Amino acid sequence: MVTDIKDTVRAVEAAAVRELLPALPRMLALGEPTHGEDTLLELRNDLFRQLVEQEGYRTISIESDCVTGLLVDEYVTSGTGTLDEVMERGFSHGWGTSAANRALVRWMRAHNEGRPASGQVRFAGFDGPLETAAAASPRQSLTALHGYLAARVDPALLPCTAETLDHLLGSDDRWTEPAAMWDPARSVGRSAQARELRLLADDMVALSDAQTPHLIAADSRDERDRARLYGRTATGLLRYHYWMADPSPSRLTRLVGLRDLMMAENLLALAERGPVLVHAHNSHLQREKSTVRMGGMPLEWWSAGAIVNARLGDEYAFLATALGTIRHQGVDTPGTDTVEGFLYALPEDRCLVDAARLAGALGDTRPAPRVSPWFGYAPLDPAHLADSDGLVFVKDALTVGDRTDEARRGVVR
């Protein structure tokens, strides 16, 4: 079987991606099967740097808060703030503590130094200000959108005053109540104030759209794009909070789907600006339905990648990533009867594989899915192998200590 596909195994580099795909797409997404492994993020950094420098991609977007990500973009494009500040305040999910993410931001700033805006690479988070288990208050996005409109259109057209918004929002603690994840009755999402805010947010977005000719003449594209981002975020958060208060059995399925819908809307907006590189968990980028067990319940939903693919077609490409071992998490050498085990037998420590050719080599009888002893790692689903445009395989996810030990022993990877 190795003989069947050895000529399709490539190095993980921009030139190999270009050879693999019929044409470089407007949006190229690289997934990962687990979070928090700098081995994977360093690979991402290397590949994305090459794609920016060699293929003209101009935006890098990761699975992080779309609003706080504006701080990172300001830093990498204009030097606003400091690296420490943007790593602390510009990332969600704890991503700001990652050495690889810090290296990415540092490289983007160095790349942009002295370049005109047209030649700079931009940063964007594309997740909402939320996790599945909790969502932020809509205050920041609502008040920012209101402020943008108040400064640019006839005040008589605004659906409310800033004071009314503040009164309806109340304390932010009401919105971020941790118990609301498992007790819908603790959510503020279906209160009279929240319902009124949903209507006001919709009216402000509609006003912004209705004023498009004026806003194009009066403002920069960056300012308009930022206002649209605030509008998407405000309406998305209010919708999410509404369904957090839903007592029905479909509540969690609805929530995971709404989160990926917010992701998809942000990605589609970025694609309007030009070629985009995207990095997130495989489950957010794959074309097939995503699945997870939460609270003992199996959930199934369409990912952001599936939604974007439905809209962009051939202009969307997805490279899944698979792993051999994460030994510090108890994920040891994969069995030879799994796709990961087959790839682990290849001599390369990391490689890019033609997923369709690999699926053909495996034949109609696909190996059984690998079973992970650790909940934080999602193995490949062999049934959907051909649904990705390529497969990046990394033999071992190494800790800093592992790499230090290898360096002492003279191991070269």
Side-chain angles (χ1 to χ4, degrees):
M1 196 175 297
V2 172
T3 302
D4 292 337
I5 68 154
K6 67 179 181 180
D7 59 338
T8 73
V9 175
R10 302 164 167 87
V12 185
E13 56 189 21
V17 173
R18 187 174 62 249
E19 292 173 2
L20 180 66
L21 302 175
L24 284 173
R26 176 169 290 265
M27 182 170 292
L28 176 58
L30 174 66
E32 62 177 3
T34 186
H35 284 322
E37 295 298 329
D38 270 8
T39 297
L40 300 182
L41 300 184
E42 289 163 1
L43 180 150
R44 173 206 65 188
N45 291 355
D46 291 343
L47 180 59
F48 281 9
R49 175 181 54 78
Q50 293 177 35
L51 288 164
V52 167
E53 294 176 344
Q54 300 172 26
E55 305 299 340
Y57 282 91
R58 286 294 176 262
T59 299
I60 293 176
S61 187
I62 73 169
E63 184 188 337
S64 187
D65 186 330
C66 57
V67 175
T68 61
L70 295 171
L71 299 174
V72 184
D73 186 55
E74 289 178 357
Y75 174 76
V76 300
T77 56
S78 66
T80 301
T82 68
L83 180 58
D84 286 343
E85 288 170 348
V86 298
M87 296 311 299
E88 180 180 355
R89 299 172 51 218
F91 291 85
S92 60
H93 306 77
W95 299 156
T97 62
S98 162
N101 283 337
R102 187 181 185 90
L104 175 66
V105 174
R106 185 188 296 113
W107 170 78
M108 292 177 72
R109 177 65 198 131
H111 173 87
N112 289 338
E113 187 72 40
R115 293 177 185 266
S118 61
Q120 292 188 339
V121 58
R122 307 287 297 269
F123 178 90
F126 73 92
D127 202 352
L130 51 81
E131 282 277 14
T132 300
S137 164
R139 177 183 300 279
Q140 182 179 4
S141 50
L142 274 175
T143 55
L145 178 60
H146 187 278
Y148 173 85
L149 292 170
R152 291 163 176 82
V153 304
D154 183 349
L157 296 176
L158 292 169
C160 68
T161 65
E163 291 75 20
T164 297
L165 275 185
D166 185 64
H167 172 72
L168 291 171
L169 285 162
S171 168
D172 286 348
D173 291 344
R174 299 166 62 231
W175 299 94
T176 57
E177 167 59 60
M181 173 57 187
W182 301 111
D183 182 0
R186 300 292 295 275
S187 171
V188 72
R190 295 194 177 184
S191 65
Q193 295 91 337
R195 291 173 185 268
E196 180 67 14
L197 286 167
R198 286 189 78 184
L199 293 173
L200 293 173
D202 183 70
D203 282 342
M204 285 193 285
V205 171
L207 176 59
S208 179
D209 290 342
Q211 293 289 318
T212 295
H214 165 64
L215 295 175
I216 287 176
D219 223 339
S220 69
R221 177 166 186 176
D222 278 355
E223 290 293 336
R224 297 194 309 274
D225 285 350
R226 182 174 291 215
R228 291 173 61 202
L229 172 62
Y230 289 137
R232 291 193 304 273
T233 305
T235 55
L237 280 175
L238 287 163
R239 186 183 302 118
Y240 197 89
H241 280 289
Y242 178 86
W243 288 104
M244 283 195 79
D246 176 34
S248 77
S250 62
R251 173 176 178 266
L252 291 178
T253 298
R254 177 91 65 170
L255 292 178
V256 293
L258 286 175
R259 181 186 176 194
D260 270 70
L261 176 60
M262 290 181 70
M263 290 181 172
E265 290 174 341
N266 286 331
L267 289 175
L268 289 167
L270 291 172
E272 293 177 9
R273 197 164 69 187
V276 187
L277 299 169
V278 181
H279 186 257
H281 198 282
N282 287 331
S283 63
H284 291 308
L285 299 175
Q286 62 195 31
R287 290 185 172 92
E288 68 271 16
K289 274 192 168 181
S290 298
T291 59
V292 73
R293 292 191 68 85
M294 186 177 295
M297 296 175 55
L299 309 181
E300 185 178 77
W301 75 100
W302 289 110
S303 74
I307 297 168
V308 170
N309 180 72
R311 292 281 296 278
L312 296 185
D314 291 342
E315 286 294 292
Y316 178 77
F318 168 54
L319 305 177
T321 295
L323 263 172
T325 73
I326 321 173
R327 299 191 194 279
H328 52 280
Q329 298 290 3
V331 181
D332 291 321
T333 304
T336 56
D337 58 344
T338 65
V339 174
E340 288 89 345
F342 167 50
L343 295 173
Y344 198 83
L346 296 173
E348 293 81 5
D349 288 316
R350 63 186 200 179
C351 59
L352 175 64
V353 181
D354 185 324
R357 290 284 296 276
L358 176 57
L362 293 172
D364 294 333
T365 304
R366 299 286 169 82
R370 184 184 188 187
V371 177
S372 172
W374 177 50
F375 74 93
Y377 162 62
L380 280 174
D381 183 348
H384 294 289
L385 183 60
D387 291 334
S388 61
D389 297 285
L391 177 63
V392 174
F393 182 72
V394 176
K395 185 166 285 189
D396 302 292
L398 302 175
T399 65
V400 173
D402 292 333
R403 282 177 280 188
T404 300
D405 290 342
E406 286 195 349
R408 287 173 181 154
R409 290 183 279 116
V411 176
V412 178
R413 286 184 175 270

